[in-house]
Amino acid sequence: QTKGFGQASPGLWLGSAPDKMWATEGIYPTADGWCPPAWPTNEDVLSQEEREKLAPKRSLVKRTAIVKQSHIDTVLNPDFMDRHRFSLMVWPLRESSKLSGRGDSRSYVCWVYYEPSDEAVVFRAFSNVDVNLRESEREVVDPESAIKNEQTALRAKEQV
């Protein structure tokens, strides 16, 4: 059977069904039902989601920091993050943006997540890389946040 206009296929326009513009099929399982041996089953995925929902959440706050290229490797080092008890979400700024530039002038926006009891340790860590985190507004992380990375940080026992 050949696939023609209007038939469902990954990435093809469904001409006869404008409400379903793109087919949303995954690559596994294949048509014959094969999956890689290490691929989780649906039951595995559902049980993992249940475990995540039941896991206790930490109380976190977050602050924003701009970190220069010369210090970003230090801040992103997992040992540094563990030792100073914070987690990060990081985005590079465009080289043409006001707070960034080329080469060593490049900057990164960092959301710094930590437990309120660790605030002094986190402030000292960032002062060592020429960032005054105290200047940034402190925000409480919503335990029901729709941001998946925040949910990961809330449930993680270690820094992520």
Side-chain angles (χ1 to χ4, degrees), residues 25-52:
E25 298 175 21
I27 60 170
Y28 294 117
T30 59
D32 63 0
W34 182 86
C35 285
W39 199 262
T41 64
N42 190 44
E43 292 80 21
D44 293 339
V45 172
L46 293 174
S47 66
Q48 177 64 27
E49 287 175 356
E50 282 301 312
R51 281 193 303 275
E52 288 175 0

Side-chain angles (χ1 to χ4, degrees), residues 16-87:
S16 62
D19 58 322
K20 295 182 180 180
M21 183 165 37
W22 298 99
T24 56
E25 298 175 21
I27 60 170
Y28 294 117
T30 59
D32 63 0
W34 182 86
C35 285
W39 199 262
T41 64
N42 190 44
E43 292 80 21
D44 293 339
V45 172
L46 293 174
S47 66
Q48 177 64 27
E49 287 175 356
E50 282 301 312
R51 281 193 303 275
E52 288 175 0
K53 286 179 186 175
L54 296 174
K57 293 182 182 180
R58 301 188 297 168
S59 296
L60 296 178
V61 293
K62 64 182 177 180
R63 292 181 185 257
T64 308
I66 304 293
V67 179
K68 292 289 186 188
Q69 178 69 43
S70 56
H71 298 297
I72 196 67
D73 290 334
T74 302
V75 172
L76 291 176
N77 183 310
D79 294 331
F80 186 80
M81 291 170 58
D82 282 337
R83 190 170 51 253
H84 296 99
R85 299 189 293 272
F86 67 88
S87 297

Side-chain angles (χ1 to χ4, degrees), residues 70 116 129 151 154:
S70 56
V129 293
Q151 287 297 321
L154 286 166

Side-chain angles (χ1 to χ4, degrees), residues 123-157:
F123 284 168
R124 275 195 305 275
F126 276 84
S127 68
N128 290 338
V129 293
D130 298 327
V131 175
N132 186 355
L133 209 53
R134 286 184 175 94
E135 293 177 354
S136 175
E137 181 182 355
R138 177 179 163 170
E139 299 176 53
V140 175
V141 178
D142 179 9
E144 303 303 319
S145 173
I147 301 170
K148 187 170 177 99
N149 290 340
E150 286 188 353
Q151 287 297 321
T152 301
L154 286 166
R155 289 189 171 94
K157 292 179 182 170

